[in-house]
Amino acid sequence: MKEKGSVTVFLSLVMGIIVSLIVMTVESARYSAEKMRIEMLTRMGLESIFAEYNRELLERYDILFIDSSYGGASSSLKETGDHLKNYLSYNVRPSKGLLSLGAGDIYGLKLKEAEICNPSYATDKAGSVFKRQAIEAVKNRYGVGIAEKAIELTNKYDGSGIKEENVEKRRQKVQEELEDIDLGEDGEELREVFDKRKGTIATLIYGLKKPSTTELKLEGLASYRRNKEGIGPVRADSDMNSFLNDRLFDQYLLWKCSSLTNDLGHDSCKYEIEYIINGKNTDTANLRETVTKLFFLREAADTIAIYKDKGKKLQAELVALPIAAVVKVFLKVDIKKPLKNMILLSWAFAEAVVDVRVLINGGRVPLIKNSGDWNIKTVLGIKFFYLNSGKLPGKGLNYNDYMTIFLAAVNQKKKSMRAMDVIEMNLRTTPGNSDFRMDGCIEYLEARLKFKDRAGRKFEIRRDYSYMNIIE
Protein backbone atom coordinates (compact mmCIF):
# COMPACT_ATOMS: atom_id res chain seq x y z
CA MET A 1 0.00 0.00 0.00
CA LYS A 2 2.99 2.22 0.31
CA GLU A 3 3.90 1.86 -3.49
CA LYS A 4 3.27 4.96 -5.60
CA GLY A 5 1.28 4.73 -8.89
CA SER A 6 2.36 7.95 -10.55
CA VAL A 7 4.24 6.17 -13.33
CA THR A 8 1.27 3.94 -14.17
CA VAL A 9 -1.08 6.90 -14.38
CA PHE A 10 1.35 8.83 -16.54
CA LEU A 11 1.86 5.83 -18.81
CA SER A 12 -1.88 5.37 -19.13
CA LEU A 13 -2.28 8.99 -20.20
CA VAL A 14 0.59 8.75 -22.69
CA MET A 15 -0.65 5.44 -24.10
CA GLY A 16 -4.07 6.97 -24.66
CA ILE A 17 -2.55 9.71 -26.71
CA ILE A 18 -0.30 7.26 -28.60
CA VAL A 19 -3.15 4.89 -29.35
CA SER A 20 -5.31 7.80 -30.54
CA LEU A 21 -2.49 8.97 -32.77
CA ILE A 22 -2.00 5.48 -34.17
CA VAL A 23 -5.72 5.07 -34.83
CA MET A 24 -5.90 8.49 -36.49
CA THR A 25 -2.84 7.72 -38.59
CA VAL A 26 -4.25 4.36 -39.67
CA GLU A 27 -7.64 5.90 -40.44
CA SER A 28 -6.03 8.74 -42.36
CA ALA A 29 -3.96 6.26 -44.33
CA ARG A 30 -7.06 4.19 -44.98
CA TYR A 31 -8.97 7.28 -46.12
CA SER A 32 -6.16 8.26 -48.50
CA ALA A 33 -5.93 4.68 -49.74
CA GLU A 34 -9.68 4.65 -50.37
CA LYS A 35 -9.43 7.84 -52.40
CA MET A 36 -6.52 6.40 -54.37
CA ARG A 37 -8.47 3.20 -54.96
CA ILE A 38 -11.49 5.18 -56.15
CA GLU A 39 -9.20 7.01 -58.59
CA MET A 40 -7.89 3.68 -59.85
CA LEU A 41 -11.37 2.16 -60.07
CA THR A 42 -12.63 5.15 -62.05
CA ARG A 43 -9.66 5.03 -64.40
CA MET A 44 -10.04 1.29 -64.98
CA GLY A 45 -13.77 1.66 -65.54
CA LEU A 46 -13.32 4.43 -68.13
CA GLU A 47 -10.55 2.53 -69.87
CA SER A 48 -12.80 -0.52 -69.98
CA ILE A 49 -15.70 1.22 -71.72
CA PHE A 50 -13.31 2.97 -74.12
CA ALA A 51 -11.85 -0.45 -74.94
CA GLU A 52 -15.28 -1.25 -76.41
CA TYR A 53 -14.57 0.72 -79.60
CA ASN A 54 -16.29 -0.28 -82.81
CA ARG A 55 -13.86 -2.69 -84.45
CA GLU A 56 -15.16 -2.16 -87.99
CA LEU A 57 -14.55 1.57 -87.68
CA LEU A 58 -10.98 0.98 -86.58
CA GLU A 59 -10.20 -1.71 -89.14
CA ARG A 60 -11.80 0.05 -92.11
CA TYR A 61 -11.31 3.72 -91.29
CA ASP A 62 -8.55 3.89 -88.63
CA ILE A 63 -10.73 5.91 -86.24
CA LEU A 64 -11.69 5.15 -82.63
CA PHE A 65 -15.21 5.66 -81.29
CA ILE A 66 -17.47 3.99 -78.73
CA ASP A 67 -20.61 2.88 -80.56
CA SER A 68 -23.15 3.65 -77.84
CA SER A 69 -25.77 1.47 -79.56
CA TYR A 70 -23.59 -1.62 -78.94
CA GLY A 71 -25.09 -3.29 -82.00
CA GLY A 72 -28.65 -2.39 -81.03
CA ALA A 73 -31.31 -0.39 -82.84
CA SER A 74 -30.59 2.89 -81.04
CA SER A 75 -27.72 4.54 -79.25
CA SER A 76 -27.99 5.69 -75.64
CA LEU A 77 -25.76 7.28 -73.01
CA LYS A 78 -27.63 5.19 -70.45
CA GLU A 79 -26.37 2.05 -72.14
CA THR A 80 -22.80 3.32 -71.89
CA GLY A 81 -23.42 4.21 -68.25
CA ASP A 82 -24.69 0.69 -67.57
CA HIS A 83 -21.54 -0.74 -69.11
CA LEU A 84 -19.46 1.48 -66.83
CA LYS A 85 -21.45 0.35 -63.77
CA ASN A 86 -20.94 -3.28 -64.71
CA TYR A 87 -17.17 -2.90 -65.03
CA LEU A 88 -16.95 -0.93 -61.78
CA SER A 89 -18.97 -3.52 -59.92
CA TYR A 90 -16.27 -6.12 -60.64
CA ASN A 91 -13.52 -3.71 -59.68
CA VAL A 92 -15.22 -2.69 -56.41
CA ARG A 93 -15.92 -6.32 -55.46
CA PRO A 94 -13.09 -8.47 -56.84
CA SER A 95 -14.88 -11.60 -55.64
CA LYS A 96 -17.96 -10.93 -57.78
CA GLY A 97 -18.71 -13.93 -59.93
CA LEU A 98 -16.23 -16.12 -58.07
CA LEU A 99 -17.05 -19.01 -55.73
CA SER A 100 -15.41 -17.71 -52.56
CA LEU A 101 -16.76 -17.50 -49.05
CA GLY A 102 -16.04 -14.50 -46.89
CA ALA A 103 -13.89 -12.79 -49.50
CA GLY A 104 -13.63 -9.06 -49.18
CA ASP A 105 -11.28 -6.16 -48.77
CA ILE A 106 -10.46 -3.68 -46.06
CA TYR A 107 -12.26 -0.82 -47.79
CA GLY A 108 -15.75 -2.19 -48.22
CA LEU A 109 -16.43 0.28 -51.04
CA LYS A 110 -19.80 0.25 -52.75
CA LEU A 111 -20.77 2.03 -55.98
CA LYS A 112 -23.92 4.04 -55.28
CA GLU A 113 -24.31 6.00 -58.51
CA ALA A 114 -22.68 6.27 -61.97
CA GLU A 115 -23.64 8.89 -64.51
CA ILE A 116 -22.25 9.54 -68.01
CA CYS A 117 -22.49 13.11 -69.29
CA ASN A 118 -21.08 15.69 -71.73
CA PRO A 119 -20.31 13.32 -74.62
CA SER A 120 -18.51 14.40 -77.75
CA TYR A 121 -20.13 12.75 -80.80
CA ALA A 122 -18.50 12.15 -84.18
CA THR A 123 -21.11 14.35 -85.88
CA ASP A 124 -20.69 17.36 -83.57
CA LYS A 125 -19.98 20.72 -85.23
CA ALA A 126 -20.71 19.36 -88.72
CA GLY A 127 -18.43 16.36 -88.27
CA SER A 128 -15.46 18.24 -86.79
CA VAL A 129 -14.86 15.47 -84.23
CA PHE A 130 -14.71 12.85 -86.99
CA LYS A 131 -12.58 15.14 -89.17
CA ARG A 132 -9.98 15.58 -86.43
CA GLN A 133 -9.57 11.83 -85.98
CA ALA A 134 -9.39 11.35 -89.76
CA ILE A 135 -6.58 13.91 -89.98
CA GLU A 136 -4.70 12.23 -87.13
CA ALA A 137 -5.13 8.85 -88.85
CA VAL A 138 -3.63 9.98 -92.16
CA LYS A 139 -0.80 11.79 -90.35
CA ASN A 140 0.02 8.70 -88.30
CA ARG A 141 0.02 6.52 -91.40
CA TYR A 142 1.75 8.74 -93.96
CA GLY A 143 2.96 11.84 -92.14
CA VAL A 144 2.17 15.45 -92.92
CA GLY A 145 4.20 15.16 -96.12
CA ILE A 146 1.29 13.42 -97.84
CA ALA A 147 -0.40 16.80 -98.12
CA GLU A 148 2.54 18.44 -99.91
CA LYS A 149 1.53 17.20 -103.35
CA ALA A 150 -2.10 18.16 -102.75
CA ILE A 151 -1.10 21.64 -101.61
CA GLU A 152 1.22 22.06 -104.60
CA LEU A 153 -1.47 20.81 -106.98
CA THR A 154 -4.19 23.01 -105.49
CA ASN A 155 -1.96 26.07 -105.60
CA LYS A 156 -0.97 25.29 -109.17
CA TYR A 157 -4.60 24.96 -110.17
CA ASP A 158 -5.55 28.21 -108.44
CA GLY A 159 -2.75 30.03 -110.24
CA SER A 160 -3.29 28.44 -113.64
CA GLY A 161 -6.17 30.66 -114.71
CA ILE A 162 -8.41 27.63 -115.37
CA LYS A 163 -11.12 28.85 -113.01
CA GLU A 164 -11.13 32.26 -114.67
CA GLU A 165 -11.14 30.94 -118.26
CA ASN A 166 -14.62 31.49 -119.72
CA VAL A 167 -14.83 29.05 -122.62
CA GLU A 168 -18.57 29.56 -122.98
CA LYS A 169 -18.11 33.29 -123.54
CA ARG A 170 -15.50 32.64 -126.23
CA ARG A 171 -17.81 30.15 -127.96
CA GLN A 172 -20.80 32.46 -127.80
CA LYS A 173 -18.83 35.26 -129.44
CA VAL A 174 -17.70 32.94 -132.24
CA GLN A 175 -21.28 31.73 -132.80
CA GLU A 176 -22.54 35.28 -133.07
CA GLU A 177 -19.83 36.28 -135.56
CA LEU A 178 -20.33 33.21 -137.78
CA GLU A 179 -24.10 32.93 -137.52
CA ASP A 180 -25.93 32.41 -140.84
CA ILE A 181 -22.68 32.40 -142.83
CA ASP A 182 -22.14 29.54 -145.28
CA LEU A 183 -18.60 28.31 -144.67
CA GLY A 184 -18.49 25.87 -147.54
CA GLU A 185 -17.90 22.12 -147.28
CA ASP A 186 -14.67 22.24 -145.29
CA GLY A 187 -15.85 25.06 -143.05
CA GLU A 188 -19.14 23.33 -142.27
CA GLU A 189 -17.27 20.18 -141.22
CA LEU A 190 -15.37 22.30 -138.73
CA ARG A 191 -18.59 23.89 -137.55
CA GLU A 192 -20.06 20.42 -137.03
CA VAL A 193 -17.24 19.55 -134.62
CA PHE A 194 -17.76 22.90 -132.89
CA ASP A 195 -21.48 22.18 -132.43
CA LYS A 196 -20.94 18.62 -131.20
CA ARG A 197 -19.81 19.89 -127.80
CA LYS A 198 -23.32 20.06 -126.34
CA GLY A 199 -24.17 16.43 -126.98
CA THR A 200 -20.75 15.01 -126.20
CA ILE A 201 -20.65 15.95 -122.51
CA ALA A 202 -23.53 13.64 -121.63
CA THR A 203 -22.01 10.68 -123.48
CA LEU A 204 -18.47 10.80 -122.09
CA ILE A 205 -19.03 7.95 -119.63
CA TYR A 206 -20.34 5.60 -122.32
CA GLY A 207 -16.79 4.53 -123.07
CA LEU A 208 -16.59 2.77 -119.70
CA LYS A 209 -17.02 -0.98 -119.75
CA LYS A 210 -19.49 -1.38 -116.89
CA PRO A 211 -20.24 1.83 -114.98
CA SER A 212 -22.03 1.23 -111.69
CA THR A 213 -25.76 1.98 -111.59
CA THR A 214 -26.16 1.44 -107.84
CA GLU A 215 -28.89 3.50 -106.21
CA LEU A 216 -27.77 4.99 -102.91
CA LYS A 217 -30.05 4.66 -99.89
CA LEU A 218 -29.51 8.13 -98.46
CA GLU A 219 -32.60 8.40 -96.29
CA GLY A 220 -31.69 8.30 -92.63
CA LEU A 221 -27.97 8.91 -93.17
CA ALA A 222 -25.99 11.56 -91.29
CA SER A 223 -26.59 14.28 -93.90
CA TYR A 224 -30.32 13.58 -94.07
CA ARG A 225 -31.41 13.51 -90.43
CA ARG A 226 -31.18 15.53 -87.27
CA ASN A 227 -28.21 14.19 -85.35
CA LYS A 228 -27.65 13.99 -81.62
CA GLU A 229 -25.66 16.89 -80.27
CA GLY A 230 -22.80 16.67 -77.81
CA ILE A 231 -20.35 19.25 -76.58
CA GLY A 232 -18.31 19.25 -79.78
CA PRO A 233 -14.55 18.78 -80.14
CA VAL A 234 -12.72 18.82 -76.80
CA ARG A 235 -9.37 20.58 -76.66
CA ALA A 236 -9.95 21.32 -80.31
CA ASP A 237 -7.19 22.61 -82.53
CA SER A 238 -8.17 26.17 -83.43
CA ASP A 239 -6.54 25.56 -86.79
CA MET A 240 -8.76 22.55 -87.61
CA ASN A 241 -9.97 24.13 -90.86
CA SER A 242 -6.57 25.41 -91.95
CA PHE A 243 -5.51 24.90 -95.54
CA LEU A 244 -3.07 22.15 -94.46
CA ASN A 245 -5.64 20.26 -92.37
CA ASP A 246 -8.22 20.49 -95.15
CA ARG A 247 -5.75 18.95 -97.60
CA LEU A 248 -4.87 16.22 -95.08
CA PHE A 249 -8.57 15.43 -94.72
CA ASP A 250 -8.90 15.22 -98.51
CA GLN A 251 -6.02 12.74 -98.57
CA TYR A 252 -7.74 10.69 -95.88
CA LEU A 253 -10.87 10.50 -98.05
CA LEU A 254 -8.87 9.45 -101.11
CA TRP A 255 -7.18 6.79 -98.95
CA LYS A 256 -10.34 5.34 -97.42
CA CYS A 257 -13.03 5.93 -100.06
CA SER A 258 -13.44 4.25 -103.41
CA SER A 259 -13.65 6.06 -106.73
CA LEU A 260 -14.00 5.21 -110.40
CA THR A 261 -10.32 4.24 -110.70
CA ASN A 262 -9.84 3.00 -107.12
CA ASP A 263 -12.29 0.20 -106.38
CA LEU A 264 -12.10 -0.78 -102.69
CA GLY A 265 -14.88 -3.36 -102.99
CA HIS A 266 -17.56 -1.30 -101.23
CA ASP A 267 -20.89 -2.51 -102.61
CA SER A 268 -23.27 0.07 -101.14
CA CYS A 269 -21.63 2.87 -103.11
CA LYS A 270 -19.00 2.29 -105.80
CA TYR A 271 -18.12 5.93 -106.45
CA GLU A 272 -17.71 7.28 -102.91
CA ILE A 273 -15.38 10.16 -103.75
CA GLU A 274 -17.74 11.20 -106.51
CA TYR A 275 -20.64 11.12 -104.02
CA ILE A 276 -18.72 13.29 -101.55
CA ILE A 277 -18.09 15.80 -104.36
CA ASN A 278 -21.62 15.85 -105.79
CA GLY A 279 -24.06 14.37 -103.26
CA LYS A 280 -26.37 12.68 -105.82
CA ASN A 281 -28.45 9.61 -105.01
CA THR A 282 -27.08 7.21 -107.64
CA ASP A 283 -23.61 6.16 -108.72
CA THR A 284 -24.52 7.05 -112.29
CA ALA A 285 -25.50 10.61 -111.40
CA ASN A 286 -22.40 11.16 -109.26
CA LEU A 287 -20.14 9.84 -112.01
CA ARG A 288 -21.90 11.93 -114.65
CA GLU A 289 -21.52 15.11 -112.59
CA THR A 290 -17.86 14.37 -111.89
CA VAL A 291 -17.04 13.60 -115.52
CA THR A 292 -18.82 16.80 -116.57
CA LYS A 293 -16.70 18.80 -114.09
CA LEU A 294 -13.63 16.99 -115.39
CA PHE A 295 -14.51 17.86 -118.98
CA PHE A 296 -15.05 21.55 -118.23
CA LEU A 297 -11.75 21.69 -116.35
CA ARG A 298 -9.86 20.00 -119.17
CA GLU A 299 -11.53 22.13 -121.85
CA ALA A 300 -10.58 25.33 -120.02
CA ALA A 301 -7.01 24.07 -119.49
CA ASP A 302 -6.66 23.03 -123.14
CA THR A 303 -8.11 26.34 -124.30
CA ILE A 304 -5.50 28.23 -122.26
CA ALA A 305 -2.76 25.97 -123.64
CA ILE A 306 -3.81 26.21 -127.27
CA TYR A 307 -3.97 30.00 -127.26
CA LYS A 308 -0.37 30.01 -125.99
CA ASP A 309 0.79 27.50 -128.63
CA LYS A 310 2.14 29.38 -131.66
CA GLY A 311 2.34 26.22 -133.76
CA LYS A 312 -1.30 25.29 -133.28
CA LYS A 313 -2.44 28.86 -133.83
CA LEU A 314 -0.51 28.88 -137.11
CA GLN A 315 -2.16 25.60 -138.19
CA ALA A 316 -5.59 27.04 -137.41
CA GLU A 317 -4.79 30.21 -139.36
CA LEU A 318 -3.62 28.22 -142.41
CA VAL A 319 -6.86 26.21 -142.41
CA ALA A 320 -9.04 29.27 -141.86
CA LEU A 321 -7.33 31.44 -144.52
CA PRO A 322 -8.68 29.81 -147.74
CA ILE A 323 -12.19 29.38 -146.31
CA ALA A 324 -12.25 33.00 -145.18
CA ALA A 325 -10.95 34.14 -148.57
CA VAL A 326 -13.84 32.42 -150.40
CA VAL A 327 -16.41 33.85 -148.00
CA LYS A 328 -14.95 37.34 -148.41
CA VAL A 329 -15.17 37.11 -152.21
CA PHE A 330 -18.82 36.02 -152.25
CA LEU A 331 -20.25 37.55 -149.08
CA LYS A 332 -17.91 40.50 -148.62
CA VAL A 333 -17.42 39.52 -144.94
CA ASP A 334 -14.06 39.01 -143.22
CA ILE A 335 -14.40 35.93 -140.99
CA LYS A 336 -10.74 35.01 -140.74
CA LYS A 337 -10.41 35.79 -137.01
CA PRO A 338 -13.68 34.20 -135.74
CA LEU A 339 -13.09 31.16 -137.99
CA LYS A 340 -9.60 30.76 -136.55
CA ASN A 341 -11.08 31.00 -133.04
CA MET A 342 -13.72 28.39 -133.92
CA ILE A 343 -10.98 26.00 -135.05
CA LEU A 344 -8.93 26.58 -131.90
CA LEU A 345 -11.95 26.12 -129.62
CA SER A 346 -13.02 22.98 -131.52
CA TRP A 347 -9.51 21.63 -131.15
CA ALA A 348 -9.47 22.33 -127.41
CA PHE A 349 -12.91 20.72 -127.08
CA ALA A 350 -11.85 17.59 -128.98
CA GLU A 351 -8.64 17.33 -126.96
CA ALA A 352 -10.63 17.65 -123.71
CA VAL A 353 -12.87 14.75 -124.73
CA VAL A 354 -9.82 12.58 -125.35
CA ASP A 355 -8.29 13.74 -122.04
CA VAL A 356 -11.36 12.63 -120.11
CA ARG A 357 -11.32 9.24 -121.81
CA VAL A 358 -7.69 8.82 -120.84
CA LEU A 359 -8.36 9.77 -117.22
CA ILE A 360 -11.44 7.61 -116.65
CA ASN A 361 -9.57 4.64 -118.07
CA GLY A 362 -6.65 5.04 -115.67
CA GLY A 363 -4.25 7.25 -117.64
CA ARG A 364 -2.61 10.58 -116.86
CA VAL A 365 -3.01 14.07 -118.26
CA PRO A 366 -0.92 17.17 -117.34
CA LEU A 367 -2.85 20.05 -115.80
CA ILE A 368 -1.51 22.52 -118.38
CA LYS A 369 -0.12 20.90 -121.52
CA ASN A 370 2.93 21.71 -123.53
CA SER A 371 2.83 21.35 -127.30
CA GLY A 372 4.20 17.80 -127.19
CA ASP A 373 1.60 16.59 -124.66
CA TRP A 374 -1.37 16.81 -127.02
CA ASN A 375 -3.18 13.69 -128.22
CA ILE A 376 -4.59 15.41 -131.30
CA LYS A 377 -1.44 16.62 -133.04
CA THR A 378 -2.87 18.35 -136.11
CA VAL A 379 -5.91 20.44 -136.84
CA LEU A 380 -7.21 17.75 -139.20
CA GLY A 381 -7.35 15.32 -136.29
CA ILE A 382 -10.21 17.19 -134.62
CA LYS A 383 -12.63 15.76 -137.18
CA PHE A 384 -11.88 12.25 -135.91
CA PHE A 385 -11.49 12.92 -132.19
CA TYR A 386 -14.14 10.32 -131.37
CA LEU A 387 -11.78 7.62 -132.70
CA ASN A 388 -8.88 8.78 -130.55
CA SER A 389 -8.78 7.07 -127.16
CA GLY A 390 -5.57 8.82 -126.10
CA LYS A 391 -2.25 7.45 -124.90
CA LEU A 392 -2.03 5.40 -121.69
CA PRO A 393 -0.75 5.82 -119.08
CA GLY A 394 0.79 9.15 -120.14
CA LYS A 395 2.33 11.66 -117.75
CA GLY A 396 0.99 14.27 -115.40
CA LEU A 397 -2.04 13.83 -113.15
CA ASN A 398 -4.25 10.77 -112.79
CA TYR A 399 -7.99 10.66 -112.10
CA ASN A 400 -7.60 10.81 -108.31
CA ASP A 401 -5.29 13.82 -108.60
CA TYR A 402 -8.11 15.65 -110.33
CA MET A 403 -10.43 14.48 -107.55
CA THR A 404 -8.04 16.24 -105.15
CA ILE A 405 -8.79 19.49 -106.98
CA PHE A 406 -12.55 18.89 -106.85
CA LEU A 407 -12.51 17.91 -103.17
CA ALA A 408 -10.73 21.14 -102.30
CA ALA A 409 -13.67 23.06 -103.76
CA VAL A 410 -16.35 21.24 -101.73
CA ASN A 411 -17.80 23.00 -98.68
CA GLN A 412 -16.13 21.58 -95.55
CA LYS A 413 -19.42 20.86 -93.79
CA LYS A 414 -20.83 18.99 -96.77
CA LYS A 415 -17.58 17.11 -97.23
CA SER A 416 -17.46 15.85 -93.63
CA MET A 417 -21.15 14.95 -93.48
CA ARG A 418 -21.10 13.11 -96.83
CA ALA A 419 -17.99 11.23 -95.75
CA MET A 420 -19.91 10.04 -92.68
CA ASP A 421 -22.79 9.04 -94.98
CA VAL A 422 -20.34 6.79 -96.80
CA ILE A 423 -19.08 5.27 -93.53
CA GLU A 424 -22.64 4.58 -92.36
CA MET A 425 -23.58 2.95 -95.68
CA ASN A 426 -20.58 0.64 -95.50
CA LEU A 427 -20.78 -0.30 -91.82
CA ARG A 428 -24.48 -1.12 -92.06
CA THR A 429 -23.56 -4.01 -94.37
CA THR A 430 -21.31 -5.58 -91.68
CA PRO A 431 -22.49 -8.05 -89.00
CA GLY A 432 -23.94 -6.38 -85.91
CA ASN A 433 -24.00 -2.88 -87.42
CA SER A 434 -27.26 -2.82 -89.37
CA ASP A 435 -28.44 0.33 -87.53
CA PHE A 436 -25.06 2.00 -87.17
CA ARG A 437 -25.12 5.79 -86.78
CA MET A 438 -22.18 8.16 -86.51
CA ASP A 439 -24.09 10.39 -84.09
CA GLY A 440 -24.02 7.49 -81.63
CA CYS A 441 -20.24 7.33 -81.76
CA ILE A 442 -18.51 8.85 -78.73
CA GLU A 443 -14.96 10.18 -78.67
CA TYR A 444 -15.05 11.89 -75.25
CA LEU A 445 -17.22 11.73 -72.14
CA GLU A 446 -17.30 12.58 -68.45
CA ALA A 447 -18.21 10.22 -65.62
CA ARG A 448 -19.72 11.30 -62.28
CA LEU A 449 -19.43 8.55 -59.69
CA LYS A 450 -20.52 8.19 -56.06
CA PHE A 451 -19.07 5.62 -53.66
CA LYS A 452 -19.66 4.67 -50.02
CA ASP A 453 -17.25 2.81 -47.75
CA ARG A 454 -17.83 0.44 -44.83
CA ALA A 455 -17.76 3.31 -42.34
CA GLY A 456 -20.54 5.10 -44.19
CA ARG A 457 -18.32 7.81 -45.66
CA LYS A 458 -19.38 9.11 -49.07
CA PHE A 459 -17.06 9.91 -51.96
CA GLU A 460 -17.82 11.75 -55.19
CA ILE A 461 -15.52 11.83 -58.18
CA ARG A 462 -15.79 13.37 -61.65
CA ARG A 463 -13.35 12.37 -64.37
CA ASP A 464 -13.22 12.55 -68.15
CA TYR A 465 -11.58 10.41 -70.82
CA SER A 466 -11.05 10.64 -74.55
CA TYR A 467 -9.60 8.67 -77.43
CA MET A 468 -7.50 11.73 -78.15
CA ASN A 469 -5.57 10.81 -74.97
CA ILE A 470 -4.47 7.73 -76.89
CA ILE A 471 -4.16 9.16 -80.41
CA GLU A 472 -2.13 12.20 -79.44
Side-chain angles (χ1 to χ4, degrees):
M1 295 296 293
K2 294 180 180 181
E3 298 294 332
K4 295 182 179 180
S6 58
V7 175
T8 305
V9 173
F10 178 75
L11 183 61
S12 299
L13 292 173
V14 171
M15 287 301 296
I17 296 172
I18 292 173
V19 170
S20 298
L21 180 61
I22 292 172
V23 171
M24 289 175 61
T25 302
V26 170
E27 191 63 19
S28 178
R30 176 178 167 175
Y31 181 71
S32 297
E34 284 182 340
K35 290 199 297 182
M36 179 61 71
R37 180 163 175 76
I38 289 170
E39 284 279 0
M40 294 171 61
L41 292 175
T42 303
R43 180 78 178 187
M44 286 190 292
L46 288 172
E47 288 180 347
S48 295
I49 61 171
F50 274 83
E52 295 182 310
Y53 53 82
N54 187 296
R55 290 188 178 182
E56 291 291 341
L57 269 181
L58 179 61
E59 291 175 3
R60 290 182 176 228
Y61 295 101
D62 284 65
I63 53 179
L64 285 163
F65 286 100
I66 298 172
D67 179 6
S68 58
S69 71
Y70 298 94
S74 62
S75 57
S76 168
L77 272 183
K78 182 180 180 302
E79 184 75 15
T80 305
D82 289 342
H83 279 237
L84 178 60
K85 288 178 184 178
N86 185 48
Y87 286 123
L88 286 171
S89 68
Y90 282 94
N91 293 333
V92 169
R93 285 201 304 125
S95 62
K96 181 179 178 180
L98 300 176
L99 184 59
S100 57
L101 300 176
D105 59 43
I106 63 172
Y107 306 109
L109 289 171
K110 292 182 180 179
L111 177 66
K112 304 302 291 184
E113 187 177 326
E115 179 188 3
I116 297 295
C117 59
N118 295 333
S120 177
Y121 293 116
T123 51
D124 284 352
K125 297 291 179 67
S128 294
V129 176
F130 155 68
K131 180 181 178 181
R132 179 171 64 176
Q133 280 213 34
I135 291 171
E136 290 298 327
V138 77
K139 283 164 62 177
N140 290 337
R141 180 64 180 269
Y142 298 105
V144 180
I146 192 174
E148 289 180 1
K149 181 180 178 181
I151 291 172
E152 181 183 351
L153 176 57
T154 306
N155 287 336
K156 184 177 180 180
Y157 171 71
D158 289 339
S160 66
I162 293 174
K163 289 192 289 187
E164 293 75 27
E165 175 60 41
N166 193 334
V167 177
E168 196 60 42
K169 185 177 180 180
R170 288 181 184 268
R171 292 178 59 85
Q172 188 175 355
K173 184 178 180 182
V174 167
Q175 287 174 330
E176 290 173 355
E177 292 175 330
L178 296 180
E179 190 175 9
D180 299 329
I181 295 178
D182 185 359
L183 302 178
E185 184 177 347
D186 291 336
E188 290 302 325
E189 284 185 359
L190 293 170
R191 195 204 295 269
E192 185 179 346
V193 176
F194 186 80
D195 292 339
K196 272 185 178 179
R197 177 177 179 266
K198 293 180 180 179
T200 303
I201 297 173
T203 62
L204 281 170
I205 63 173
Y206 290 172
L208 294 171
K209 294 179 180 179
K210 290 183 179 180
S212 172
T213 57
T214 301
E215 185 173 342
L216 311 185
K217 300 176 181 178
L218 302 180
E219 298 79 9
L221 295 181
S223 293
Y224 294 84
R225 65 169 185 261
R226 183 172 181 176
N227 295 294
K228 292 183 178 180
E229 294 184 8
I231 62 173
V234 178
R235 297 185 293 275
D237 182 357
S238 59
D239 209 23
M240 178 57 60
N241 292 319
S242 68
F243 187 73
L244 172 61
N245 280 332
D246 286 345
R247 300 295 73 76
L248 284 168
F249 184 56
D250 293 345
Q251 293 307 300
Y252 172 84
L253 297 178
L254 290 167
W255 170 33
K256 292 298 183 180
C257 299
S258 62
S259 67
L260 173 64
T261 59
N262 182 32
D263 187 358
L264 300 179
H266 300 164
D267 295 329
S268 54
C269 177
K270 287 293 185 183
Y271 308 140
E272 294 170 343
I273 292 295
E274 290 82 350
Y275 167 71
I276 293 170
I277 293 170
N278 301 290
K280 303 299 181 181
N281 63 354
T282 66
D283 274 344
T284 302
N286 286 312
L287 182 59
R288 182 176 62 248
E289 289 291 319
T290 304
V291 169
T292 300
K293 285 183 172 71
L294 194 56
F295 168 77
F296 284 131
L297 186 156
R298 286 305 324 149
E299 186 183 34
D302 289 336
T303 299
I304 291 172
I306 204 167
Y307 272 95
K308 291 181 179 179
D309 192 322
K310 294 180 180 179
K312 291 180 175 55
K313 288 192 333 187
L314 179 60
Q315 284 192 54
E317 189 171 341
L318 292 174
V319 172
L321 194 59
I323 299 173
V326 173
V327 170
K328 189 169 184 179
V329 169
F330 290 98
L331 300 178
K332 310 301 182 183
V333 179
D334 187 2
I335 62 165
K336 177 183 170 183
K337 184 176 179 180
L339 184 58
K340 176 184 172 182
N341 285 331
M342 185 182 78
I343 294 169
L344 291 172
L345 291 172
S346 296
W347 199 341
F349 149 68
E351 182 72 9
V353 171
V354 178
D355 288 345
V356 172
R357 288 179 185 153
V358 170
L359 289 168
I360 64 179
N361 284 289
R364 293 177 175 271
V365 175
L367 185 63
I368 298 294
K369 291 184 175 182
N370 296 317
S371 182
D373 298 325
W374 284 63
N375 293 292
I376 302 175
K377 302 293 186 182
T378 67
V379 68
L380 297 178
I382 68 175
K383 298 179 183 179
F384 310 103
F385 71 93
Y386 50 86
L387 299 176
N388 192 328
S389 61
K391 299 177 294 183
L392 292 173
K395 64 179 182 178
L397 309 179
N398 61 23
Y399 180 87
N400 268 7
D401 292 329
Y402 282 93
M403 295 306 103
T404 298
I405 294 173
F406 295 150
L407 283 170
V410 179
N411 175 275
Q412 290 301 313
K413 177 180 177 180
K414 289 182 179 179
K415 194 188 305 185
S416 297
M417 297 305 295
R418 288 172 183 171
M420 290 188 289
D421 290 345
V422 168
I423 293 174
E424 288 186 353
M425 280 190 281
N426 284 324
L427 259 71
R428 289 178 182 182
T429 63
T430 62
N433 292 299
S434 58
D435 297 298
F436 175 80
R437 291 168 56 123
M438 287 295 285
D439 64 336
C441 291
I442 300 171
E443 178 195 73
Y444 165 94
L445 54 74
E446 293 180 11
R448 297 173 181 172
L449 308 175
K450 293 182 180 180
F451 294 88
K452 188 176 181 180
D453 69 2
R454 184 177 287 115
R457 284 180 298 212
K458 297 178 181 180
F459 300 83
E460 291 189 18
I461 186 171
R462 178 173 175 169
R463 294 291 182 268
D464 61 3
Y465 200 82
S466 170
Y467 283 119
M468 296 310 294
N469 296 347
I470 303 169
I471 296 172
E472 293 175 344

